[in-house]
Amino acid sequence: DKLAKEGDVFNELGADDMAIAIQLIQHQKAGSNLRLFLAASDDNDDEENDEEDDGEEDEEAEVDVQPPQSEGAVVGGTNQNETDAKYFSGYGDIGMHELMIKDRPRTDAYLKAIESHRDLFRGKRVLDVGAGTGILSLFAARAGAAVVYAVEGSDTAVVCEEIVKQNGFSHVIRVIRGVMEQVELPSKVDIIISEWMGFYLVHESMFSSVLFARDRWGDEGVLVLPQRATISAAIVNMDSLFEEKVGFWKDVYGFDFSPAQRLAKESLMSKPAIEVVSDSQLLTTSQVIADINLNNCTENALISITKLCSFECIRSGAMSGVCLWFDVDFGSSTSASHVILSTAPNHPPTHWKQTVVLFGESFLIGQSQRIDLQLSLTRNPTNHRHFDISVQFPENATKRQKHNNQE
Protein backbone atom coordinates (compact mmCIF):
# COMPACT_ATOMS: atom_id res chain seq x y z
CA ASP A 1 0.00 0.00 0.00
CA LYS A 2 1.34 3.40 -0.92
CA LEU A 3 0.18 6.47 0.95
CA ALA A 4 1.42 9.78 -0.51
CA LYS A 5 0.36 13.21 0.57
CA GLU A 6 1.90 16.66 0.12
CA GLY A 7 1.49 20.23 1.30
CA ASP A 8 1.17 19.85 5.06
CA VAL A 9 2.07 23.13 6.76
CA PHE A 10 3.95 23.13 10.06
CA ASN A 11 3.06 26.61 11.24
CA GLU A 12 4.79 26.22 14.57
CA LEU A 13 8.00 25.29 12.78
CA GLY A 14 7.82 28.15 10.32
CA ALA A 15 8.04 25.72 7.41
CA ASP A 16 5.88 26.41 4.38
CA ASP A 17 6.01 23.01 2.81
CA MET A 18 6.98 19.94 4.80
CA ALA A 19 5.46 17.09 2.86
CA ILE A 20 6.71 13.58 3.43
CA ALA A 21 5.42 10.55 1.61
CA ILE A 22 5.29 7.16 3.29
CA GLN A 23 5.04 3.70 1.79
CA LEU A 24 4.01 0.82 4.01
CA ILE A 25 5.25 -2.35 2.35
CA GLN A 26 4.43 -5.82 3.53
CA HIS A 27 6.82 -8.36 2.04
CA GLN A 28 5.01 -11.30 0.53
CA LYS A 29 7.23 -13.78 2.30
CA ALA A 30 6.13 -16.01 5.12
CA GLY A 31 6.06 -13.95 8.27
CA SER A 32 5.66 -10.66 6.31
CA ASN A 33 8.83 -8.61 6.66
CA LEU A 34 7.63 -5.17 7.74
CA ARG A 35 9.30 -2.19 6.07
CA LEU A 36 8.52 1.48 6.40
CA PHE A 37 9.79 3.82 3.72
CA LEU A 38 9.56 7.56 3.94
CA ALA A 39 10.52 9.99 1.18
CA ALA A 40 11.04 13.39 2.70
CA SER A 41 9.95 16.23 0.44
CA ASP A 42 10.27 19.53 2.24
CA ASP A 43 11.68 22.66 0.69
CA ASN A 44 11.64 25.38 3.31
CA ASP A 45 12.73 23.91 6.62
CA ASP A 46 14.00 24.95 9.88
CA GLU A 47 17.25 26.70 10.00
CA GLU A 48 18.34 30.28 10.08
CA ASN A 49 21.61 29.34 8.35
CA ASP A 50 21.62 28.64 4.64
CA GLU A 51 23.83 29.25 1.64
CA GLU A 52 22.38 31.58 -1.06
CA ASP A 53 22.36 33.79 -4.31
CA ASP A 54 22.71 37.48 -5.89
CA GLY A 55 23.20 40.81 -4.05
CA GLU A 56 24.06 44.53 -3.69
CA GLU A 57 26.93 46.71 -2.54
CA ASP A 58 27.38 49.13 0.32
CA GLU A 59 30.10 51.65 0.98
CA GLU A 60 31.14 49.96 4.21
CA ALA A 61 29.90 46.35 4.12
CA GLU A 62 30.44 44.85 0.72
CA VAL A 63 27.88 42.47 -0.74
CA ASP A 64 29.25 40.46 -3.64
CA VAL A 65 26.93 39.58 -6.51
CA GLN A 66 27.40 36.10 -7.90
CA PRO A 67 25.49 35.35 -11.12
CA PRO A 68 23.53 32.11 -11.01
CA GLN A 69 24.69 29.22 -13.14
CA SER A 70 22.94 29.15 -16.49
CA GLU A 71 22.30 25.44 -16.22
CA GLY A 72 21.78 23.34 -13.13
CA ALA A 73 22.64 19.72 -12.64
CA VAL A 74 19.68 17.50 -13.33
CA VAL A 75 19.24 14.78 -10.72
CA GLY A 76 16.59 12.16 -11.33
CA GLY A 77 14.78 14.50 -13.73
CA THR A 78 14.76 17.44 -11.30
CA ASN A 79 16.74 20.60 -12.01
CA GLN A 80 18.95 21.15 -8.98
CA ASN A 81 18.93 24.93 -9.42
CA GLU A 82 15.14 24.93 -9.32
CA THR A 83 15.21 22.87 -6.13
CA ASP A 84 17.71 25.22 -4.53
CA ALA A 85 15.80 28.33 -5.65
CA LYS A 86 12.70 27.08 -3.87
CA TYR A 87 14.74 26.06 -0.85
CA PHE A 88 16.38 29.48 -0.52
CA SER A 89 13.16 31.38 -1.10
CA GLY A 90 11.81 29.94 2.15
CA TYR A 91 14.62 31.60 4.06
CA GLY A 92 13.62 35.01 2.72
CA ASP A 93 10.82 34.94 5.31
CA ILE A 94 11.94 36.88 8.38
CA GLY A 95 9.60 34.76 10.50
CA MET A 96 11.83 31.75 9.82
CA HIS A 97 14.82 33.58 11.28
CA GLU A 98 12.80 34.82 14.24
CA LEU A 99 11.85 31.23 15.03
CA MET A 100 15.46 30.10 15.02
CA ILE A 101 16.97 33.01 16.93
CA LYS A 102 14.29 32.60 19.62
CA ASP A 103 15.31 28.95 19.97
CA ARG A 104 17.39 29.57 23.10
CA PRO A 105 19.11 26.16 23.36
CA ARG A 106 20.24 26.56 19.73
CA THR A 107 21.38 30.18 19.79
CA ASP A 108 22.84 30.06 23.30
CA ALA A 109 24.94 27.02 22.37
CA TYR A 110 26.59 28.92 19.49
CA LEU A 111 27.08 32.00 21.66
CA LYS A 112 28.71 30.01 24.46
CA ALA A 113 30.87 28.00 22.03
CA ILE A 114 32.21 31.15 20.35
CA GLU A 115 32.59 33.39 23.40
CA SER A 116 34.23 30.71 25.52
CA HIS A 117 36.81 30.23 22.77
CA ARG A 118 37.77 33.84 22.09
CA ASP A 119 41.39 32.74 21.86
CA LEU A 120 40.50 30.64 18.81
CA PHE A 121 38.66 33.49 17.07
CA ARG A 122 40.94 36.41 17.92
CA GLY A 123 42.62 37.67 14.74
CA LYS A 124 41.28 34.77 12.62
CA ARG A 125 39.50 34.62 9.27
CA VAL A 126 36.01 33.19 9.75
CA LEU A 127 33.42 31.91 7.26
CA ASP A 128 29.74 31.77 8.25
CA VAL A 129 27.99 29.36 5.86
CA GLY A 130 24.33 30.36 5.59
CA ALA A 131 24.55 33.51 7.69
CA GLY A 132 20.83 34.33 7.73
CA THR A 133 20.37 37.60 9.62
CA GLY A 134 24.00 37.43 10.74
CA ILE A 135 23.80 36.46 14.40
CA LEU A 136 26.68 33.95 14.26
CA SER A 137 28.81 36.38 12.24
CA LEU A 138 28.21 39.05 14.88
CA PHE A 139 29.16 36.60 17.65
CA ALA A 140 32.42 35.85 15.81
CA ALA A 141 33.20 39.52 15.16
CA ARG A 142 32.58 40.42 18.79
CA ALA A 143 34.90 37.56 19.82
CA GLY A 144 37.74 39.24 17.94
CA ALA A 145 37.76 37.73 14.43
CA ALA A 146 39.87 39.72 11.97
CA VAL A 147 37.36 39.21 9.16
CA VAL A 148 34.09 37.31 8.81
CA TYR A 149 32.69 36.27 5.42
CA ALA A 150 28.92 35.97 5.89
CA VAL A 151 27.62 33.90 2.97
CA GLU A 152 23.85 34.02 2.55
CA GLY A 153 21.80 33.28 -0.56
CA SER A 154 18.29 34.41 0.28
CA ASP A 155 16.87 37.94 0.28
CA THR A 156 17.78 38.02 3.97
CA ALA A 157 21.34 38.91 2.88
CA VAL A 158 20.20 42.51 2.35
CA VAL A 159 18.84 42.71 5.89
CA CYS A 160 21.97 41.00 7.20
CA GLU A 161 24.10 43.75 5.67
CA GLU A 162 21.95 46.43 7.29
CA ILE A 163 22.14 44.70 10.69
CA VAL A 164 25.92 44.46 10.42
CA LYS A 165 26.17 48.19 9.69
CA GLN A 166 23.68 49.04 12.44
CA ASN A 167 25.87 47.29 14.99
CA GLY A 168 29.15 48.81 13.85
CA PHE A 169 30.81 45.70 12.43
CA SER A 170 30.99 46.63 8.74
CA HIS A 171 34.77 46.82 9.05
CA VAL A 172 34.89 43.14 10.08
CA ILE A 173 31.92 41.38 8.47
CA ARG A 174 31.65 41.15 4.71
CA VAL A 175 28.24 39.96 3.54
CA ILE A 176 28.44 37.83 0.39
CA ARG A 177 25.14 36.93 -1.21
CA GLY A 178 25.31 33.69 -3.15
CA VAL A 179 25.25 29.91 -3.08
CA MET A 180 28.29 28.67 -1.18
CA GLU A 181 29.36 26.44 -4.05
CA GLN A 182 29.38 29.41 -6.46
CA VAL A 183 30.81 32.36 -4.53
CA GLU A 184 34.43 33.47 -4.49
CA LEU A 185 35.99 34.49 -1.20
CA PRO A 186 38.84 37.00 -0.96
CA SER A 187 40.98 34.53 1.01
CA LYS A 188 41.15 31.18 2.71
CA VAL A 189 39.68 30.90 6.21
CA ASP A 190 40.79 29.54 9.57
CA ILE A 191 37.36 28.78 11.07
CA ILE A 192 34.01 27.78 9.56
CA ILE A 193 30.84 28.27 11.59
CA SER A 194 27.43 27.17 10.43
CA GLU A 195 24.05 26.13 11.80
CA TRP A 196 23.38 23.62 9.05
CA MET A 197 21.32 21.02 10.89
CA GLY A 198 17.85 19.98 9.74
CA PHE A 199 15.27 17.60 11.13
CA TYR A 200 17.02 14.37 12.22
CA LEU A 201 20.28 16.24 11.42
CA VAL A 202 20.60 15.63 7.69
CA HIS A 203 17.29 16.91 6.31
CA GLU A 204 17.92 19.75 3.81
CA SER A 205 21.46 18.47 3.05
CA MET A 206 23.07 21.77 4.00
CA PHE A 207 26.02 19.77 5.33
CA SER A 208 27.15 19.43 1.69
CA SER A 209 27.77 23.17 1.49
CA VAL A 210 29.70 23.15 4.77
CA LEU A 211 31.95 20.33 3.59
CA PHE A 212 32.44 22.06 0.23
CA ALA A 213 33.45 25.25 2.04
CA ARG A 214 35.87 23.30 4.24
CA ASP A 215 37.59 21.65 1.29
CA ARG A 216 37.58 24.70 -1.02
CA TRP A 217 38.18 27.60 1.35
CA GLY A 218 39.63 26.11 4.51
CA ASP A 219 43.27 26.90 5.15
CA GLU A 220 45.56 24.24 6.60
CA GLY A 221 44.18 23.14 9.97
CA VAL A 222 40.79 24.79 9.41
CA LEU A 223 38.38 24.29 12.30
CA VAL A 224 34.70 23.52 11.60
CA LEU A 225 32.20 24.41 14.33
CA PRO A 226 30.34 22.44 15.47
CA GLN A 227 33.02 19.77 15.13
CA ARG A 228 31.02 16.59 15.60
CA ALA A 229 27.44 15.45 15.02
CA THR A 230 25.55 12.33 16.04
CA ILE A 231 22.13 10.93 15.19
CA SER A 232 20.41 8.79 17.83
CA ALA A 233 17.31 6.63 17.84
CA ALA A 234 15.02 4.85 20.30
CA ILE A 235 11.69 3.01 20.21
CA VAL A 236 8.87 5.31 21.30
CA ASN A 237 5.25 5.16 22.44
CA MET A 238 2.98 7.70 20.71
CA ASP A 239 -0.42 6.69 22.14
CA SER A 240 -1.14 10.31 23.08
CA LEU A 241 -0.60 11.47 19.49
CA PHE A 242 -2.85 8.75 18.07
CA GLU A 243 -5.52 9.62 20.64
CA GLU A 244 -5.28 13.30 19.75
CA LYS A 245 -5.40 12.79 15.97
CA VAL A 246 -7.38 9.56 15.56
CA GLY A 247 -9.26 8.96 18.79
CA PHE A 248 -10.73 12.47 18.55
CA TRP A 249 -13.20 11.23 15.94
CA LYS A 250 -14.92 8.75 18.28
CA ASP A 251 -17.17 11.42 19.75
CA VAL A 252 -17.71 14.80 18.09
CA TYR A 253 -20.31 16.85 19.94
CA GLY A 254 -22.12 13.63 20.82
CA PHE A 255 -22.00 12.20 17.29
CA ASP A 256 -20.09 9.10 16.22
CA PHE A 257 -17.52 10.23 13.63
CA SER A 258 -15.53 6.98 13.77
CA PRO A 259 -15.69 6.47 9.96
CA ALA A 260 -13.29 9.43 9.77
CA GLN A 261 -10.71 7.58 11.85
CA ARG A 262 -9.39 5.67 8.88
CA LEU A 263 -8.63 8.89 7.03
CA ALA A 264 -7.16 10.44 10.16
CA LYS A 265 -4.81 7.50 10.61
CA GLU A 266 -3.79 7.58 6.94
CA SER A 267 -3.06 11.29 7.28
CA LEU A 268 -1.00 10.72 10.42
CA MET A 269 0.91 7.87 8.78
CA SER A 270 1.59 9.85 5.60
CA LYS A 271 4.63 11.58 7.08
CA PRO A 272 7.02 11.44 10.01
CA ALA A 273 5.68 13.29 13.02
CA ILE A 274 7.65 16.34 14.18
CA GLU A 275 6.77 16.34 17.86
CA VAL A 276 8.17 17.17 21.28
CA VAL A 277 8.69 13.70 22.76
CA SER A 278 9.10 13.32 26.50
CA ASP A 279 11.75 11.07 27.98
CA SER A 280 8.98 8.96 29.55
CA GLN A 281 7.68 8.05 26.07
CA LEU A 282 10.93 6.27 25.19
CA LEU A 283 10.50 2.54 25.73
CA THR A 284 14.08 1.48 25.05
CA THR A 285 17.66 2.53 25.45
CA SER A 286 18.91 4.78 22.66
CA GLN A 287 21.51 3.96 20.03
CA VAL A 288 23.79 6.24 18.04
CA ILE A 289 23.21 5.45 14.39
CA ALA A 290 25.73 7.96 12.99
CA ASP A 291 28.79 9.72 14.45
CA ILE A 292 30.39 12.28 12.15
CA ASN A 293 33.52 14.41 12.57
CA LEU A 294 32.93 17.52 10.45
CA ASN A 295 36.63 18.33 10.32
CA ASN A 296 37.56 15.27 8.29
CA CYS A 297 34.46 13.37 7.12
CA THR A 298 33.44 12.99 3.49
CA GLU A 299 29.99 13.75 2.09
CA ASN A 300 29.37 10.03 1.64
CA ALA A 301 29.32 9.64 5.43
CA LEU A 302 26.14 11.69 5.52
CA ILE A 303 24.26 10.91 2.31
CA SER A 304 23.74 7.23 3.10
CA ILE A 305 23.49 5.93 6.67
CA THR A 306 22.46 2.38 7.62
CA LYS A 307 22.54 0.92 11.11
CA LEU A 308 21.53 -2.46 12.48
CA CYS A 309 20.03 -1.67 15.87
CA SER A 310 19.27 -3.83 18.88
CA PHE A 311 17.26 -1.86 21.45
CA GLU A 312 16.78 -3.01 25.04
CA CYS A 313 13.38 -2.22 26.53
CA ILE A 314 13.52 -0.18 29.75
CA ARG A 315 9.75 -0.07 30.30
CA SER A 316 6.80 -2.03 28.96
CA GLY A 317 4.29 -0.45 26.60
CA ALA A 318 3.04 -0.23 23.03
CA MET A 319 5.79 0.69 20.59
CA SER A 320 4.47 3.10 17.96
CA GLY A 321 7.60 3.99 16.04
CA VAL A 322 11.23 5.09 16.06
CA CYS A 323 12.21 8.46 17.50
CA LEU A 324 15.19 10.28 15.93
CA TRP A 325 17.19 13.22 17.28
CA PHE A 326 20.67 14.68 16.97
CA ASP A 327 23.45 16.23 19.05
CA VAL A 328 26.22 18.53 17.85
CA ASP A 329 29.46 18.93 19.79
CA PHE A 330 31.54 22.10 19.57
CA GLY A 331 34.52 20.48 21.28
CA SER A 332 36.79 21.94 23.93
CA SER A 333 40.06 21.37 25.70
CA THR A 334 38.35 21.84 29.08
CA SER A 335 35.12 20.46 30.47
CA ALA A 336 34.08 23.92 31.68
CA SER A 337 33.87 25.28 28.14
CA HIS A 338 32.63 22.08 26.48
CA VAL A 339 29.41 22.90 24.58
CA ILE A 340 26.96 20.31 23.24
CA LEU A 341 23.66 21.23 21.60
CA SER A 342 21.30 18.32 22.12
CA THR A 343 17.82 17.81 20.69
CA ALA A 344 17.27 14.64 22.74
CA PRO A 345 13.91 14.12 24.53
CA ASN A 346 15.54 14.61 27.95
CA HIS A 347 16.82 18.09 27.01
CA PRO A 348 14.99 21.42 26.65
CA PRO A 349 12.91 21.40 23.44
CA THR A 350 14.18 23.12 20.31
CA HIS A 351 12.50 24.11 17.06
CA TRP A 352 13.74 20.83 15.59
CA LYS A 353 11.74 18.92 18.23
CA GLN A 354 12.11 15.17 17.50
CA THR A 355 11.29 13.19 14.38
CA VAL A 356 9.12 10.09 14.84
CA VAL A 357 8.84 7.44 12.14
CA LEU A 358 5.46 5.86 12.89
CA PHE A 359 4.73 2.15 12.38
CA GLY A 360 1.54 0.98 10.72
CA GLU A 361 0.45 -0.67 13.96
CA SER A 362 1.56 -0.81 17.58
CA PHE A 363 3.23 -3.78 19.26
CA LEU A 364 3.26 -4.53 22.96
CA ILE A 365 6.74 -4.97 24.36
CA GLY A 366 7.95 -5.88 27.82
CA GLN A 367 10.80 -4.68 30.00
CA SER A 368 14.22 -6.19 29.15
CA GLN A 369 12.93 -7.42 25.78
CA ARG A 370 15.20 -6.72 22.80
CA ILE A 371 13.93 -5.13 19.59
CA ASP A 372 16.02 -5.61 16.46
CA LEU A 373 15.63 -3.48 13.34
CA GLN A 374 17.56 -1.87 10.53
CA LEU A 375 17.36 1.90 10.15
CA SER A 376 18.47 3.67 6.95
CA LEU A 377 18.65 7.31 5.90
CA THR A 378 19.46 7.85 2.23
CA ARG A 379 19.49 11.04 0.20
CA ASN A 380 16.52 11.14 -2.15
CA PRO A 381 17.64 10.57 -5.77
CA THR A 382 15.21 13.15 -7.21
CA ASN A 383 15.73 15.91 -4.66
CA HIS A 384 19.10 16.29 -2.98
CA ARG A 385 17.56 18.34 -0.15
CA HIS A 386 15.42 15.41 1.01
CA PHE A 387 16.05 12.02 2.56
CA ASP A 388 14.36 8.63 2.43
CA ILE A 389 14.04 6.95 5.81
CA SER A 390 13.40 3.23 6.10
CA VAL A 391 12.78 1.06 9.15
CA GLN A 392 12.97 -2.65 8.51
CA PHE A 393 12.36 -5.47 10.94
CA PRO A 394 14.14 -8.78 10.36
CA GLU A 395 11.63 -11.49 9.47
CA ASN A 396 12.35 -13.55 12.56
CA ALA A 397 11.95 -10.46 14.80
CA THR A 398 8.51 -9.78 13.31
CA LYS A 399 7.42 -13.38 13.88
CA ARG A 400 8.74 -13.32 17.43
CA GLN A 401 6.94 -10.07 18.17
CA LYS A 402 3.64 -11.40 16.85
CA HIS A 403 4.05 -14.50 19.02
CA ASN A 404 4.70 -12.36 22.10
CA ASN A 405 1.63 -10.26 21.39
CA GLN A 406 -0.55 -13.36 21.11
CA GLU A 407 0.71 -14.52 24.48
Side-chain angles (χ1 to χ4, degrees):
D1 296 323
K2 180 178 180 180
L3 306 173
K5 294 184 181 290
E6 291 192 340
D8 198 68
V9 178
F10 288 79
N11 292 323
E12 70 275 17
L13 296 174
D16 294 327
D17 181 19
M18 170 80 180
I20 305 181
I22 182 170
Q23 294 175 322
L24 180 58
I25 302 169
Q26 299 285 349
H27 263 272
Q28 298 184 6
K29 296 179 180 178
S32 74
N33 192 9
L34 179 64
R35 181 169 184 262
L36 295 174
F37 181 84
L38 297 101
S41 61
D42 128 75
D43 295 295
N44 309 317
D45 261 287
D46 58 355
E47 26 264 346
E48 131 127 16
N49 283 6
D50 9 300
E51 342 77 39
E52 308 146 290
D53 69 70
D54 58 87
E56 300 178 353
E57 288 186 342
D58 184 87
E59 294 180 283
E60 297 180 276
E62 205 173 333
V63 180
D64 290 352
V65 179
Q66 297 295 331
Q69 294 178 345
S70 58
E71 295 182 5
V74 176
V75 182
T78 300
N79 187 295
Q80 188 166 312
N81 279 354
E82 292 177 2
T83 298
D84 286 344
K86 190 174 180 182
Y87 167 75
F88 291 131
S89 70
Y91 286 98
D93 180 0
I94 195 65
M96 183 80 75
H97 301 280
E98 176 189 355
L99 173 78
M100 293 179 287
I101 289 178
K102 284 182 174 179
D103 183 341
R104 293 298 297 270
R106 164 200 181 270
T107 308
D108 286 356
Y110 278 86
L111 173 61
K112 183 178 179 182
I114 292 171
E115 294 203 336
S116 64
H117 295 90
R118 285 177 174 266
D119 55 321
L120 293 178
F121 282 83
R122 191 173 295 114
K124 297 297 176 61
R125 301 159 298 175
V126 178
L127 168 61
D128 182 358
V129 180
T133 52
I135 187 65
L136 303 189
S137 294
L138 289 165
F139 288 164
R142 189 169 63 184
V147 62
V148 180
Y149 302 124
V151 177
E152 171 63 29
S154 74
D155 293 342
T156 307
V158 177
V159 177
C160 180
E161 177 194 5
E162 295 171 356
I163 290 172
V164 167
K165 182 194 292 187
Q166 186 76 17
N167 288 276
F169 282 103
S170 296
H171 63 294
V172 177
I173 301 172
R174 178 171 176 177
V175 181
I176 301 174
R177 186 176 179 184
V179 177
M180 188 67 244
E181 288 81 352
Q182 298 177 21
V183 302
E184 287 293 320
L185 302 185
S187 68
K188 297 279 190 176
V189 298
D190 306 298
I191 299 174
I192 296 173
I193 55 175
S194 181
E195 194 275 81
W196 54 269
M197 299 83 71
F199 297 122
Y200 55 87
L201 186 70
V202 292
H203 192 62
E204 289 190 341
S205 292
M206 190 179 162
F207 60 80
S208 296
S209 296
V210 175
L211 298 185
F212 173 87
R214 180 198 67 188
D215 296 340
R216 173 67 179 85
W217 296 108
D219 209 344
E220 184 176 355
V222 63
L223 176 65
V224 180
L225 293 176
Q227 298 188 52
R228 180 184 172 196
T230 59
I231 305 174
S232 298
I235 300 294
V236 65
N237 173 271
M238 299 299 290
D239 282 350
S240 59
L241 180 64
F242 276 94
E243 181 60 29
E244 176 189 351
K245 300 296 185 182
V246 181
F248 160 78
W249 296 101
K250 293 177 183 176
D251 184 346
V252 180
Y253 286 88
F255 297 101
D256 183 357
F257 272 51
S258 58
Q261 288 185 309
R262 176 181 57 82
L263 295 177
K265 185 176 180 181
E266 288 179 0
S267 177
L268 186 60
M269 291 297 302
S270 70
K271 54 192 172 291
I274 308 299
E275 297 285 329
V276 174
V277 175
S278 69
D279 195 41
S280 63
Q281 290 177 262
L282 301 184
L283 301 181
T284 69
T285 54
S286 63
Q287 284 203 2
V288 173
I289 64 170
D291 188 341
I292 301 112
N293 185 332
L294 275 298
N295 286 301
N296 56 31
C297 74
T298 65
E299 189 176 22
N300 288 337
L302 286 156
I303 64 176
S304 182
I305 299 166
T306 298
K307 175 76 172 182
L308 291 171
C309 302
S310 184
F311 298 102
E312 181 179 352
C313 299
I314 56 176
R315 57 176 63 92
S316 59
M319 66 175 190
S320 310
V322 176
C323 180
L324 300 173
W325 66 88
F326 67 85
D327 297 347
V328 292
D329 189 337
F330 291 85
S332 174
S333 57
T334 65
S335 58
S337 57
H338 192 184
V339 179
I340 295 177
L341 168 58
S342 177
T343 64
N346 61 343
H347 282 73
T350 68
H351 74 283
W352 290 286
K353 304 184 180 181
Q354 286 84 36
T355 300
V356 180
V357 182
L358 295 166
F359 301 151
E361 56 184 304
S362 294
F363 301 96
L364 293 176
I365 55 176
Q367 192 169 355
S368 301
Q369 188 176 339
R370 300 202 73 86
I371 304 298
D372 301 322
L373 57 80
Q374 178 174 288
L375 183 60
S376 298
L377 292 80
T378 308
R379 180 183 277 173
N380 188 282
T382 61
N383 189 326
H384 71 291
R385 295 284 174 190
H386 306 158
F387 270 71
D388 299 333
I389 307 175
S390 73
V391 179
Q392 186 164 354
F393 291 92
E395 184 177 333
N396 61 342
T398 307
K399 287 180 176 179
R400 183 172 65 248
Q401 186 57 57
K402 286 185 176 180
H403 179 68
N404 289 340
N405 286 340
Q406 289 170 357
E407 291 180 337

